[in-house]
Amino acid sequence: MPTGLKPAIEFTVVNQDHPRLVGMAPITPDNPGGARYVPDQQRPLKTIGMLFNEHNRFLGHGLFIGVGEPVVLKVLMEERKERLAVHELGLCVKSRNFVLIFRKSSTQNYSQFMRKFVVSGVTLCLAAQLATAQIKLPSPSPGATVIQTVGTTDLTVNYSRPSLKGRQPFTDAFVPSGKVWRTGANAATAFTTSTDLTVNGQTLPAGTYAILSIPAQDNWTLIFSKNKGVTEQSYKQDEDALRVSLKPTTTSEKTETFTIGFSDVTDSTAKMNFLWGNVKASADLAVDVNKYAAANVDKAVTEKPDDPAVLQAAASYNLSRGRNLDQALTWIDKSIAGQENFRNLFVKSQILGRMGKFADALPIAQKALALGQSSNDPIFAFFKEGIEKSIAEYTAKLPAAPAKGKGKRKA
């Protein structure tokens, strides 16, 4: 069976008669089996299908012996994890667009069940309609996506947000303390970083991971798993990409709905915060912004070596970082040659000024001022003060011109 496919999310009880349709999974090109399949290491001839209801809530693992054969579904109820319900399902039928899972009565034999299934055309028609319907319904734990850019690194979190509803998290009764938690609800919480970064000083390579955690009163363990479809039941530590310790704090304000967010954002750092109830745990994220920004600059110039705007932006970046000013001067000269304007002239004057060449910088800044004043460009108003200050600075740093000596009086 294929691995790594998306979970089936449409499961609907149709009626209470026997045979009863208890599960339905749409088949798509990305999900040909109608469910996500994960290899069962103990039973290599079987597969484990992860079953979800219409609210994308995890129901359990189905041991699919094969289409057309009886199957056993072990359902672990999410809200009552101490209860393990085992159901014998009668038949898993694969059609063109969907998979149907029927439950048979304990008093029925297989042939009776099959006869009822064959004549149950109405059930099949209803199932086909349900399989193709696109009905958006409210979820107890709605999905959310958080996107944050740090420097040039894009961070994305996709997760579901359970609410307290009068319960106290991280207790024996609800989200137990000291045990692996999916850090959200429904499917695994996904974290994507577009570049390498550090989490509490430890490196996490670019990629997508499932976030899990082990919350406790004095310490949280934050886990980035390489198994993007991991659950509390299937978690294995040897699949960790990274795990770090967080120090939880108590907040005065109660957070009703579980929240993952970012704060204290700079061009190279941010905090990723986990809040629920009166608990907050934060991880320190950091990226090498100079490394990635410089790489982006070099790549852009390589791809568009004659574009005046690209060359100006590249020169401006080098100027802002004090990086390779000779290269910046070459780029800005090429930009000016392609299309002279007050912007690239001002950048050139600043580069020359940074290099200590004030005598060369002054006339360039003066030309930028004159060109901007005659350009009728509304953007110039934002540059005018900066250019005038640069002219005054360069003028002040030039050596004073020697005073002309007075001629001798004739006797």
Side-chain angles (χ1 to χ4, degrees), residues 55-351:
H55 299 304
N56 198 22
R57 179 177 133 194
F58 176 69
L59 294 179
H61 297 86
L63 301 181
F64 289 82
I65 296 175
V67 172
E69 297 290 338
V71 297
V72 176
L73 172 64
K74 293 183 178 181
V75 180
L76 180 62
M77 301 302 291
E78 183 179 64
E79 295 184 359
R80 301 184 184 276
K81 294 185 179 180
E82 71 276 5
R83 294 180 56 189
L84 184 66
V86 180
H87 301 291
E88 294 286 340
L89 299 188
L91 189 65
C92 180
V93 179
K94 185 173 182 179
S95 183
R96 180 178 179 182
N97 296 317
F98 49 86
V99 169
L100 303 178
I101 304 172
F102 288 87
R103 179 183 299 165
K104 70 173 182 177
S105 167
S106 59
T107 60
Q108 286 183 300
N109 60 39
Y110 189 75
S111 60
Q112 290 175 327
F113 174 77
M114 282 301 298
R115 283 197 297 271
K116 287 193 175 184
F117 167 72
V118 169
V119 299
S120 185
V122 174
T123 300
L124 280 175
C125 290
L126 177 58
Q129 293 175 13
L130 290 171
T132 57
Q134 299 295 324
I135 303 176
K136 189 171 184 177
L137 299 173
S139 170
S141 300
T145 299
V146 183
I147 300 173
Q148 179 64 57
T149 298
V150 179
T152 61
T153 300
D154 295 323
L155 307 175
T156 305
V157 178
N158 289 295
Y159 72 117
S160 294
R161 305 182 63 196
S163 295
L164 294 177
K165 300 177 182 178
R167 301 169 292 188
Q168 183 63 36
F170 318 125
T171 62
D172 291 339
F174 182 55
V175 187
S177 176
K179 294 185 179 180
V180 174
W181 175 44
R182 70 187 62 193
T183 319
N186 304 325
T189 293
F191 173 83
T192 301
T193 173
S194 62
T195 69
D196 296 355
L197 54 73
T198 63
V199 184
N200 285 8
Q202 299 187 49
T203 300
L204 181 69
T208 298
Y209 305 91
I211 289 182
L212 300 101
S213 58
I214 304 175
Q217 183 175 356
D218 299 322
N219 181 75
W220 275 40
T221 300
L222 180 63
I223 301 167
F224 295 86
S225 175
K226 291 177 283 189
N227 181 355
K228 294 187 282 290
V230 67
T231 66
E232 292 93 339
Q233 295 77 26
S234 65
Y235 169 71
K236 296 177 181 178
Q237 188 169 342
D238 60 10
E239 294 177 334
D240 289 358
L242 179 67
R243 58 164 49 200
V244 298
S245 294
L246 310 181
K247 185 69 175 177
T249 59
T250 301
T251 61
S252 58
E253 185 176 349
K254 189 175 184 178
T255 302
E256 169 66 21
T257 302
F258 176 63
T259 300
I260 301 176
F262 298 92
S263 67
D264 304 310
V265 179
T266 72
D267 67 356
S268 60
T269 61
K271 288 185 179 294
M272 182 164 62
N273 305 308
F274 304 86
L275 301 98
W276 207 13
N278 294 103
V279 177
K280 177 181 179 181
S282 299
D284 293 322
L285 309 182
V287 297
D288 188 345
V289 64
N290 291 332
K291 171 184 174 182
Y292 296 115
N296 290 344
V297 166
D298 294 339
K299 179 182 178 183
V301 173
T302 299
E303 293 175 348
K304 297 183 178 182
D306 299 314
D307 188 313
V310 169
L311 292 165
Q312 177 188 320
S316 295
Y317 174 77
N318 276 21
L319 171 65
S320 68
R321 298 292 173 174
R323 170 185 181 250
N324 199 343
L325 295 179
D326 289 330
Q327 178 67 74
L329 189 59
T330 299
W331 285 338
I332 203 64
D333 280 339
K334 194 172 181 180
S335 173
I336 292 170
Q339 184 179 15
E340 183 180 79
N341 54 60
F342 71 85
R343 297 179 185 85
N344 51 25
L345 287 172
F346 182 38
V347 171
K348 180 174 181 178
S349 73
Q350 290 175 298
I351 294 172

Side-chain angles (χ1 to χ4, degrees), residues 319 329 336 342 344-369 386-398:
L319 171 65
L329 189 59
I336 292 170
F342 71 85
N344 51 25
L345 287 172
F346 182 38
V347 171
K348 180 174 181 178
S349 73
Q350 290 175 298
I351 294 172
L352 292 169
R354 181 71 67 87
M355 298 170 76
K357 300 179 179 181
F358 304 114
D360 295 329
L362 179 58
I364 301 297
Q366 291 170 332
K367 185 175 181 180
L369 181 64
I387 296 174
E388 290 174 338
K389 284 184 177 181
S390 294
I391 291 173
E393 177 186 344
Y394 302 152
T395 301
K397 292 185 177 181
L398 289 177

